[in-house]
Amino acid sequence: MSSVLLDSAKTETQSPRHGGESVAEVLRAHGVKFVFTLVGGHISPILVACEKLGIRIVDTRHEATAVFAADAVARLSGTVGVAAVTAGPGLTNTVTAVKNAQMAESPLLLLGGAAATLLQGRGALQDIDQMSLFKPLCKFCASVRSVKDIAITVRKALAIAQSGTPGPVFIEFPIDTLYPFHLVSKEFGVKNPPKGIMGKVVTWYLHNHLKNLFAGAWETRDVSPLPVHIPQATDNQVQKCIELVSRAKKPVILLGSQATLPPTPTDDIRAALESLGIPCFLGGMSRGMLGRNSPLHIRQNRSDALKEADLVLLAGTVCDFRLSYGRVLNRRSRIIAVNRDKTQLLKNSDMFWKPTVAIQGDAGSFLLRLSKGLKGHTCPEDWPQSLKAGDVTKEKANRRKADEKTDRHLNPLSVLHRVDELMADDSIIVADGGDFVGSAAYIMRPRGPLRWLDPGAFGTLGVGGGFALGAKLCRPESEVWIIYGDGSLGYSVAEFDTFTRHKTPVIALVGNDACWSQIAREQVPILGSNVACGLAFTDYHIVADGYGGKGTLIGREDEDKLDGIIKEAQKETRQGRATLLNVLIGKTNFREGSISV
């Protein structure tokens, strides 16, 4: 009972130091370059201390954006993304973004303010049970109870975020653990204590609590990173897989986001895949792994390929809705499944599919070991060539759809093809939307590894502003494109203010069809009503102008000038100004399904 029994460690009552400095020192020692935030008094010491140590503070217009930006940094940098938000509603505003990071397996540290230790549960401003909110969402949750515990708690959280299956972690900082002793002691003082023995007890109790809060606070502590545990396949498991692959005539690899996780460099994974020569379907963050036009990258007819395959390697891919819960897999196929998470590794294997070999381990390092063991062996060439021929046929048919005239406005498929052809080779594509973005996933080709960002399995709308912000900060030399539906744009269009203030120029391509089209496509024919699906052809370009960006309206009359408009937007971003292309689009019958395959 630290509030009653006095800690023997020294309490330096005259020190001007504060707990925010301890947080900043640990973050700097772990290579953290950015902290995303929406400011609040509960967390001000953390932000001020981080800035003094050279960590860039990036403030957004919504707490969810701060977490989405930290998520993007985690995915692109291989470090932990960090967001700091104030207590109560500041934290509740992050819940969807934290859940998205959990399902996307992104290592993320959320730092949250809280009411003072003695006032929790007593009706203080913005005081709620925050721990209960985040325990189901995070791998690790902790509430700091004394200043001396800050360093080890942050170190532990950062290690846990990266170990095993990566994911978010949460630390709650009561306000009295972050501010200096002299300020906290003023708040602890009782102006009119009860008389007699009760007054003495209350005064003694508060004095001891304050001393314990700061006892040993400024003793030298280790701030270096703790070891990170990453599960690996055993030698026997790898050898068994080498034998299975060597005998396969029609193998297929399904690569998921896990394959892009540290410690294996994505360039090494690409080399391993090219050495194996096995046709690959790429999903999530692994899009772009093989470059723009690899003969091994198959983009179409996945179900047909899986029916024909005699061996399927699920490298970080999960048998959830994206694979029809495993029903698309041929029961006669040999199936190798590799995943860091045991639950994801075996999901639905009790019903629709059975792994021949199931490995709880890192997919990226497994692929390197598999390739090394199969050196000199390659997949029969006629198999990937036949699948690629099917790709070419289907994509030609899709391209013909892009040449069709819509009833009004521009054909969205044509617009996406033009952007794909003109975007820079170093571009990062952020996907935030439904119908328009689903089409983009089948048309646009990331140029390399870690150049595609979508929400992942949770399918969250609103990631665009935060993902783009994090991406541009990680890769300032790259073009960053946000592909927005007009519905999803509403969640984060205010972040054009953030792009302007923090000099992070991105390009937003908005497919504006004045509708939640992905929903209307089924709701109208099934239920006979368009209720709640209709939007307006809003002047989003003017909104971007108001936030300091450059907005452009593009309609059918601009069809012949589209290339020039795109190039002008690219020029604007090179000159430091975020741009928004508000493209009025018509309806097509093109529909390919989920983007997170």
Side-chain angles (χ1 to χ4, degrees):
M1 295 176 62
S2 60
S3 295
V4 177
L5 301 177
L6 191 62
D7 193 312
S8 60
K10 183 179 179 182
T11 302
E12 299 181 32
T13 60
Q14 302 303 312
S15 174
R17 297 191 62 187
H18 57 78
E21 296 172 1
S22 298
V23 177
E25 288 168 358
V26 177
L27 295 182
R28 182 177 64 174
H30 286 70
V32 173
K33 295 181 179 179
F34 310 104
V35 171
F36 298 94
T37 190
L38 199 158
V39 71
H42 288 87
I43 57 166
S44 291
I46 294 176
L47 306 182
V48 172
C50 285
E51 184 185 44
K52 285 183 178 178
L53 292 187
I55 298 171
R56 183 169 174 180
I57 303 299
V58 184
D59 58 309
T60 63
R61 299 305 299 268
H62 196 287
E63 290 90 350
T65 297
V67 175
F68 286 136
D71 185 340
V73 167
R75 299 188 196 196
L76 294 177
S77 69
T79 59
V80 178
V82 181
V85 301
T86 198
L91 278 162
T92 59
N93 279 345
T94 70
V95 167
T96 297
V98 173
K99 182 64 182 181
N100 193 82
Q102 180 192 45
M103 294 189 68
E105 300 174 346
S106 293
L108 185 149
L109 170 61
L110 177 64
L111 308 173
T117 51
L118 278 179
L119 296 179
Q120 290 182 344
R122 297 180 180 273
L125 175 66
Q126 298 180 335
D127 178 32
I128 60 171
D129 182 2
Q130 298 172 162
M131 299 296 283
S132 293
L133 275 178
F134 288 96
K135 282 180 179 177
L137 308 178
C138 296
K139 297 179 65 182
F140 171 79
C141 291
S143 181
V144 172
R145 310 319 286 177
S146 64
V147 180
K148 69 179 181 182
D149 293 335
I150 289 176
I152 187 58
T153 303
V154 178
R155 291 172 69 212
K156 182 178 179 181
L158 289 165
I160 291 173
Q162 300 170 84
S163 293
T165 305
V169 292
F170 169 60
I171 305 176
E172 173 187 86
F173 292 89
I175 194 169
D176 48 353
T177 66
L178 291 178
Y179 279 84
F181 182 92
H182 70 277
L183 291 178
V184 176
S185 63
K186 288 180 182 179
E187 295 298 320
F188 269 70
V190 181
K191 294 180 181 178
N192 298 300
K195 294 181 179 180
I197 188 66
M198 183 56 68
K200 292 180 180 179
V201 169
V202 169
T203 302
W204 174 83
Y205 180 87
L206 293 176
H207 175 78
N208 274 13
H209 185 87
L210 181 61
K211 290 280 188 177
N212 287 341
L213 197 62
F214 284 87
W218 314 124
E219 295 174 359
T220 301
R221 285 186 172 79
D222 189 359
V223 295
S224 63
L226 293 168
V228 172
H229 170 68
I230 298 172
Q232 300 288 351
T234 67
D235 289 341
N236 287 341
Q237 288 172 325
V238 174
Q239 183 58 39
K240 185 173 182 179
C241 293
I242 288 171
E243 293 168 4
L244 288 171
V245 174
S246 68
R247 294 195 294 267
K249 303 300 182 185
K250 294 183 177 181
V252 167
I253 296 175
L254 271 60
L255 206 66
S257 295
Q258 267 196 21
T260 66
L261 291 173
T264 309
T266 53
D267 287 341
D268 290 354
I269 296 172
R270 177 176 180 170
L273 293 172
E274 289 173 343
S275 174
L276 289 167
I278 298 173
C280 299
F281 290 90
L282 309 178
M285 286 295 295
S286 75
R287 290 173 185 266
M289 180 66 75
L290 293 168
R292 188 180 183 188
N293 292 305
S294 169
L296 297 178
H297 181 198
I298 312 302
R299 295 162 54 90
Q300 311 288 346
N301 306 315
R302 187 181 65 179
S303 294
D304 293 338
L306 291 175
K307 289 176 184 175
E308 198 174 346
D310 59 2
L311 182 139
V312 178
L313 170 53
L314 303 174
T317 299
V318 182
C319 286
D320 56 16
F321 70 95
R322 293 167 290 183
L323 281 178
S324 296
Y325 310 98
R327 287 177 293 192
V328 296
L329 300 175
N330 186 339
R331 288 185 176 271
R332 293 187 299 274
S333 300
R334 297 298 183 97
I335 300 173
I336 300 169
V338 187
N339 199 293
R340 293 194 188 191
D341 186 280
K342 186 176 181 180
T343 301
Q344 300 290 71
L345 173 68
L346 300 173
K347 190 174 286 294
N348 296 309
S349 63
D350 58 334
M351 295 181 67
F352 301 120
W353 68 287
K354 294 292 180 187
T356 309
V357 181
I359 300 171
Q360 185 179 357
D362 176 59
S365 55
F366 169 81
L367 287 169
L368 262 62
R369 294 165 69 188
L370 183 69
S371 173
K372 184 178 179 181
L374 286 164
K375 192 171 184 179
H377 171 85
T378 189
C379 174
E381 290 185 359
D382 59 337
W383 170 235
Q385 287 173 356
S386 67
L387 294 179
K388 199 65 177 180
D391 247 25
V392 172
T393 300
K394 189 163 185 178
E395 291 186 355
K396 282 182 178 178
N398 289 341
R399 188 58 200 248
R400 287 194 292 270
K401 293 179 182 178
D403 295 333
E404 297 171 357
K405 287 286 185 183
T406 50
D407 290 340
R408 60 174 183 160
H409 303 310
L410 292 171
N411 184 322
L413 310 181
S414 177
V415 173
L416 291 167
H417 275 292
R418 296 310 307 139
V419 171
D420 183 59
E421 289 166 15
L422 292 171
M423 66 168 44
D425 285 342
D426 66 355
S427 292
I428 296 172
I429 304 168
V430 175
D432 186 10
D435 206 65
F436 185 62
V437 173
S439 297
Y442 281 85
I443 291 172
M444 305 185 81
R445 300 169 183 257
R447 277 38 172 179
L450 300 178
R451 297 200 173 274
W452 173 275
L453 288 168
D454 67 37
F458 203 31
T460 308
L461 292 180
V463 302
F467 277 13
L469 177 64
K472 189 64 179 177
L473 288 168
C474 284
R475 310 269 179 84
E477 76 289 347
S478 296
E479 275 185 13
V480 175
W481 287 81
I482 318 174
I483 312 302
Y484 274 123
D486 53 337
S488 61
L489 174 68
Y491 289 90
S492 65
V493 68
E495 301 306 338
F496 263 77
D497 172 71
T498 307
F499 301 146
T500 299
R501 289 184 296 108
H502 287 282
K503 297 179 175 57
T504 48
V506 304
I507 307 174
L509 178 72
V510 183
N512 187 353
D513 61 358
C515 186
W516 295 96
S517 292
Q518 192 176 61
I519 308 305
R521 282 179 183 273
E522 294 184 354
Q523 180 175 308
V524 173
I526 294 173
L527 299 173
S529 171
N530 195 45
V531 63
C533 293
L535 296 171
F537 286 106
T538 300
D539 291 335
Y540 299 115
H541 53 291
I542 296 177
V543 177
D545 287 340
Y547 282 124
K550 171 64 175 175
T552 302
L553 178 65
I554 304 173
R556 177 167 282 182
E557 65 278 8
D558 303 305
E559 188 166 14
D560 293 338
K561 300 178 286 184
L562 185 57
D563 285 14
I565 294 171
I566 294 169
K567 291 176 181 177
E568 182 62 27
Q570 293 171 309
K571 180 180 176 182
E572 287 280 352
T573 58
R574 288 194 295 271
Q575 294 174 349
R577 195 175 186 188
T579 64
L580 185 148
L581 304 179
N582 185 15
V583 185
L584 305 182
I585 58 174
K587 307 293 185 184
T588 72
N589 61 2
F590 181 81
R591 189 185 184 199
E592 291 284 2
S594 169
I595 67 168
S596 299
V597 293

